[in-house]
Amino acid sequence: MTNWQELEKKYYMRTFDRVPVTLVKGQGARVWDDNGREYLDFFAGLAVTSLGHCHPVVVKALTEQASTLIQTSNLYYTIPQLQLAKLLVENSCFESIFYANSGTEANEGAVKLARRYGALHRNGAYEVITTLNSFHGRTLAMTAATGQPKFQKPYLPMPAGFVNVENNSIEAIKKATTNKTCAVILEPVQAEGGVNVPADDYLKKARAWCDEQNLLLILDEVQTGIGRTGALFGYQLYGVEPDVITLAKGMGGGVPIGAFMANQKAAVFVPGDHGSTFGGNPLACAVGYAVVKYIIDNDIPGNARQMGQYLMVKLNGLKGKYPHITDVRGRGLLVAIEFSKEIGARMLTACLERGLLVNKLKPNALRLIPPLIIGKAEVDEAVSIIDAALAAVSCEA
Ligand SMILES: *Cc1c(COP(=O)(O)O)cnc(C)c1O
């Protein structure tokens, strides 16, 4: 049998620190490796396969569109992108959409939109305030937006126009605001940066400040959007309406698609201002439409909310047995479990050996981001594996 992991070492750039498993098949909340081993998937392709693997709705949309029309460019009208646009606009506080192919590209577009807004309505302001420990993607500009020096350092100098300030502090945003500022970008819950849930009134205060200063409030909902946090959009949890939102991960149920949406005030692009060859192609949009429609019609955000609460209650229930669980936090099915010791890597391995895929969020924390369609039985199974893994890892510690 081919040793795929050796092949990767030989032929793939040394970019990823991979979990030593080669996945070949998925169905629902399960995946299988090339040895036929089954795993319960609480990683979901990095919070992407929101309806689970190979959901019939995804497969149907993908295969039907694949045999009908795949790519046309945006120089022509196509139907799936407009069906998805109407669905997302009618179910949000925004009035229009632009499609990209990934999260980072959606964010790039949102920043370009904010710079146009600054040019037109704030005397040429171009600077964007973001937060420390945020994550906005891997292009050069989004590396500058991402408030994590470890991502920026290898690529200095960073593109100009981004200021990273303390998270969850409205005072920090106020202090960083100057006449050059055009927008503030926040994640409703910082996801990659640690599943950091802000104070309940943080987004409201940010909204008020942006209104007062004529800044755009942009929410990066690449991870939190499309049901993940227990609402269709994370902003709905906090009672605010942003001017711009960015989406990607869960939007296509596994097929690459991204987007940004804007309200009337922020939608300042005119023809020629922005573009994309692949963005909004019929294939991605047909799947995106099927996924988002299924999520809305079947109240999948409601399931994410209930299962997320159930998961967090059960994880909290392990605290008595394992006092080194220091925190369980999250919204919906974006959940972190944190430990007093740096046992994240060993916990990941111990879960893997017992048939559960999780994510090492930090040296001392795991992230659980299962498909949004999971039920109680899967949560029970995952928590009993985490329980056994904790028992094993605590013994060796
Ligand atoms: C994953 C992520 C991104 C980047 O998305 P890509 O599709 O990897 O480019 C941006 N913002 C947030 C909040 C994310 O979680």
Side-chain angles (χ1 to χ4, degrees):
M1 209 167 87
T2 309
N3 188 332
W4 298 106
Q5 292 171 36
E6 283 303 315
L7 221 70
E8 196 262 8
K9 275 198 187 70
K10 193 163 170 209
Y11 293 117
Y12 204 92
M13 287 194 192
R14 300 291 162 79
T15 320
F16 297 108
D17 197 10
R18 299 187 204 248
V19 178
V21 170
T22 306
L23 298 173
V24 296
K25 196 174 87 168
Q27 191 61 56
R30 312 270 160 184
V31 288
W32 287 265
D33 70 14
D34 57 348
N35 295 311
R37 264 209 81 181
E38 180 180 309
Y39 303 87
L40 179 60
D41 186 3
F42 267 47
F43 186 58
L46 228 176
V48 167
T49 52
S50 41
L51 300 185
H53 294 279
C54 299
H55 191 283
V57 154
V58 174
V59 173
K60 183 168 181 279
L62 193 51
T63 51
E64 280 183 9
Q65 192 61 42
S67 56
T68 306
L69 185 66
I70 295 177
Q71 162 72 5
T72 59
S73 90
N74 283 301
L75 300 189
Y76 300 91
Y77 296 89
T78 51
I79 295 168
Q81 67 167 236
L82 300 173
Q83 289 174 322
L84 179 57
K86 180 167 184 281
L87 184 66
L88 282 169
V89 165
E90 287 177 354
N91 283 280
S92 70
C93 62
F94 308 105
E95 73 145 39
S96 56
I97 193 166
F98 183 95
Y99 297 108
N101 306 287
S102 66
T104 190
E105 213 191 317
N107 286 334
E108 288 273 347
V111 168
K112 285 174 77 176
L113 189 67
R115 285 195 179 188
R116 287 306 301 144
Y117 185 85
L120 294 165
H121 301 302
R122 213 171 179 275
N123 299 318
Y126 61 88
E127 214 166 70
V128 173
I129 297 172
T130 69
T131 58
L132 292 167
N133 286 318
S134 60
F135 185 81
H136 300 297
R138 296 289 207 152
T139 57
L140 259 187
M142 286 312 111
T143 301
T146 292
Q148 301 196 47
K150 69 175 181 202
F151 290 127
Q152 300 179 349
K153 228 173 137 191
Y155 303 108
L156 297 174
M158 283 291 107
F162 297 93
V163 196
N164 313 136
V165 306
E166 188 190 338
N167 183 42
N168 197 20
S169 162
I170 189 66
E171 289 314 315
I173 292 175
K174 288 184 179 176
K175 245 176 84 184
T177 303
T178 69
N179 57 10
K180 287 198 216 121
T181 311
C182 66
V184 176
I185 305 184
L186 303 172
E187 293 165 82
V189 175
Q190 282 187 338
E192 298 302 307
V195 185
N196 303 318
V197 181
D200 284 341
D201 60 356
Y202 176 56
L203 288 186
K204 268 202 178 127
K205 286 179 175 165
R207 175 71 279 177
W209 180 249
C210 288
D211 287 341
E212 196 184 312
Q213 298 291 316
N214 187 22
L215 310 173
L216 294 185
L217 177 63
I218 302 174
L219 292 188
D220 178 347
E221 295 227 31
V222 166
Q223 191 153 162
T224 54
I226 316 293
R228 174 62 52 189
T229 57
L232 186 58
F233 303 106
Y235 69 78
Q236 293 163 330
L237 300 174
Y238 293 99
V240 297
E241 294 191 342
D243 300 300
V244 179
I245 192 176
T246 61
L247 301 168
K249 290 192 166 86
M251 186 178 171
V255 169
I257 184 169
F260 58 95
M261 302 177 73
N263 62 17
Q264 192 183 1
K265 176 176 109 177
V268 293
F269 278 161
V270 297
D273 276 354
H274 196 42
S276 176
T277 299
F278 292 123
N281 68 78
L283 189 70
C285 287
V287 182
Y289 176 73
V291 167
V292 175
K293 184 150 174 30
Y294 185 92
I295 283 175
I296 292 169
D297 290 351
N298 294 280
D299 190 22
I300 301 299
N303 189 65
R305 186 168 61 245
Q306 282 167 19
M307 288 304 114
Q309 266 158 15
Y310 183 62
L311 173 62
M312 285 195 271
V313 166
K314 291 207 71 165
L315 290 173
N316 272 312
L318 296 176
K319 277 181 176 168
K321 215 161 146 189
Y322 308 104
H324 51 282
I325 300 177
T326 50
D327 195 21
V328 172
R329 59 177 179 271
R331 296 302 295 255
L333 285 171
L334 174 57
V335 173
I337 174 167
E338 194 158 305
F339 313 107
S340 59
K341 301 178 213 155
E342 300 203 338
I343 56 170
R346 278 187 290 153
M347 277 300 292
L348 181 143
T349 303
C351 287
L352 191 71
E353 286 167 359
R354 289 161 181 78
L356 176 69
L357 302 188
V358 295
N359 169 240
K360 190 188 79 175
L361 180 64
K362 297 199 286 188
N364 68 332
L366 297 179
R367 174 172 42 167
L368 306 173
I369 38 178
L372 308 182
I373 44 95
I374 56 157
K376 279 190 163 178
E378 278 118 3
V379 173
D380 291 343
E381 189 183 336
V383 173
S384 79
I385 291 174
I386 291 167
D387 186 347
L390 274 164
V393 168
S394 306
C395 277
E396 41 180 273

